[in-house]
Amino acid sequence: MKTSRLLAAAVLLGTAGAVMISPAMAERGTRGGGMPMFMFDQLDADKDGKVTEAEIDAQRTARVKAADANGDGLMNADELAAMQLAEMTARAKVMATEMVARMDSDGDGLLSAAEMAVKSGPAKFFKRVDTDGDGAITRAEADAAANDMADRHGGRKEMHGDDAPAN
């Protein structure tokens, strides 16, 4: 019993710490490549222009208390899942709103298939990987792109297709 409460507390602290300001970040959107922005103003509870560890701890405690549906002071898997789902939904709404704003060329607040097809990121990626310019990506080109990415990102290489290890 004592071990399970200790384990539950450790899981609670780790999870709460990892996602302590996610909803606040989702409200303000993302910066650059999708990184959530730090919510300084929300964390600065006393509005003194500084964020202390005590203010961060208070924010975390409030979030955990709000997610603790049964009020037992601990978070079970259902409570954690509900909290994470709400946070992901908030982030998805912000990202969708930003996407519509960025891609809505006719200003109607809606995206047509044509407007969505204009997105240049995938086209640029395809063109960069298709090194021989034949309009198709070969296994060799995909592997070369993965190796290039691994070189640029400290040796991490995403496994794909039949190269992925079997579990």
Side-chain angles (χ1 to χ4, degrees):
M1 176 77 166
K2 186 175 182 181
T3 303
S4 65
R5 288 182 73 82
L6 188 58
L7 180 60
V11 168
L12 171 68
L13 288 173
T15 302
V19 295
M20 73 177 186
I21 59 176
S22 302
M25 291 188 289
E27 289 173 13
R28 287 285 285 276
T30 59
R31 180 181 320 178
M35 263 316 261
M37 294 188 304
F38 182 71
M39 295 304 303
F40 188 91
D41 292 337
Q42 183 171 357
L43 290 172
D44 183 15
D46 61 8
K47 306 301 179 210
D48 66 351
K50 302 174 191 171
V51 174
T52 65
E53 287 186 46
E55 288 170 317
I56 291 172
D57 289 343
Q59 172 79 1
R60 181 182 305 122
T61 299
R63 287 193 60 247
V64 169
K65 186 175 181 180
D68 181 17
N70 65 9
D72 66 356
L74 301 170
M75 293 184 68
N76 62 38
D78 290 337
E79 292 165 329
L80 284 170
M83 179 178 73
Q84 291 171 345
L85 185 58
E87 291 167 355
M88 288 187 291
T89 299
R91 285 190 301 272
K93 285 180 181 180
V94 168
M95 290 171 32
T97 299
E98 290 173 351
M99 185 175 172
V100 169
R102 187 175 56 252
M103 298 175 68
D104 180 21
S105 61
D106 62 10
D108 66 356
L110 304 169
L111 293 181
S112 66
E115 287 169 319
M116 292 198 54
V118 172
K119 190 171 183 179
S120 64
K124 285 180 187 176
F125 175 78
F126 190 92
K127 203 172 209 176
R128 186 173 46 231
V129 175
D130 179 21
T131 56
D132 63 10
D134 68 352
I137 297 173
T138 65
R139 168 63 93 176
E141 288 170 323
D143 289 343
N147 288 330
D148 181 53
M149 186 178 291
D151 290 344
R152 287 185 283 140
H153 296 285
R156 291 187 325 225
K157 179 175 155 182
E158 293 298 320
M159 300 299 269
H160 57 275
D162 53 3
D163 292 339
N167 287 333

